Amino acid sequence: MTTDLIIRLAIVRDVGNLGDMAYQFYEEGKVPGRLVPEVFERTWRSLIEANIGVIFLLESSRNIVGGLGAIKCPDPNNGEMIASELFWFVEKEYRGSGLKLLKAFEAWAQEQGIKKILMVHLSELMPGKLKKLYERMGYKELETHYIKEVF
């Protein structure tokens, strides 16, 4: 199953094909609020066009089965370039191959001269497994975020 997988950078026109994956990410991760596809698409198109955002796609037989989206910017504290992952999702049957996305992201960051990578960890998606993976790959836990919806 995994022999036909490829990783590639998304281009602007790919963004319109990510809606189903974004919905799955929201549902599985129990992300508060709701996904607005038009906003998701508009935002990621703008980020890619501005060379601030990047999405790595995992494809099987030309179907998108996973993705990792990130932004790059100067660290506001010291000016060094950082990259922050904003989503990382792989369809269940391909999850063993999702690590390829992270490795592609790391390689891209190094090529871009980025000094630090920040990875997000949703508490509802494989908390123990991801923590161990990140630590094994040299990441250190930095902080925990809390969210509150205000109306």
Side-chain angles (χ1 to χ4, degrees):
M1 171 200 329
T2 60
T3 57
D4 68 338
L5 294 176
I6 64 162
I7 303 272
R8 69 174 177 86
L9 284 174
I11 57 176
V12 171
R13 71 171 173 250
D14 289 317
V15 175
N17 297 323
L18 300 178
D20 288 343
M21 187 175 64
Y23 276 118
Q24 289 177 53
F25 175 75
Y26 258 68
E27 187 175 298
E28 263 191 70
K30 296 180 178 53
V31 178
R34 66 182 180 88
L35 176 71
V36 180
E38 301 81 26
V39 174
F40 175 88
E41 290 179 26
R42 183 176 60 243
T43 302
W44 279 103
R45 282 187 178 117
S46 296
L47 291 170
I48 291 170
E49 287 172 345
N51 197 31
I52 295 168
V54 62
I55 300 175
F56 295 88
L57 298 175
L58 179 65
E59 289 184 331
S60 174
S61 304
R62 297 190 165 216
N63 293 316
I64 298 170
V65 297
L68 187 154
I71 57 171
K72 65 178 180 178
C73 64
D75 184 317
N77 299 306
N78 60 26
E80 292 181 345
M81 288 301 289
I82 59 173
S84 181
E85 172 254 335
L86 298 181
F87 71 84
W88 181 18
F89 184 81
V90 177
E91 291 180 6
K92 286 183 181 180
E93 67 181 280
Y94 295 94
R95 293 246 164 107
S97 300
L99 187 57
K100 292 176 182 180
L101 290 166
L102 179 55
K103 289 183 178 184
F105 175 44
E106 289 181 338
W108 170 85
Q110 192 170 24
E111 290 168 7
Q112 297 287 311
I114 290 169
K115 300 296 181 190
K116 293 182 185 127
I117 293 175
L118 295 102
M119 293 299 294
V120 177
H121 179 241
L122 289 174
S123 57
E124 296 291 331
L125 286 175
M126 303 182 291
K129 189 174 184 179
L130 266 179
K131 179 178 173 54
K132 288 177 186 173
L133 171 69
Y134 287 153
E135 290 173 351
R136 189 173 65 242
M137 293 184 69
Y139 290 84
K140 294 178 173 73
E141 188 172 345
L142 178 63
E143 65 184 334
T144 301
H145 289 232
Y146 293 88
I147 189 166
K148 177 182 179 179
E149 291 188 59
V150 292
F151 302 93

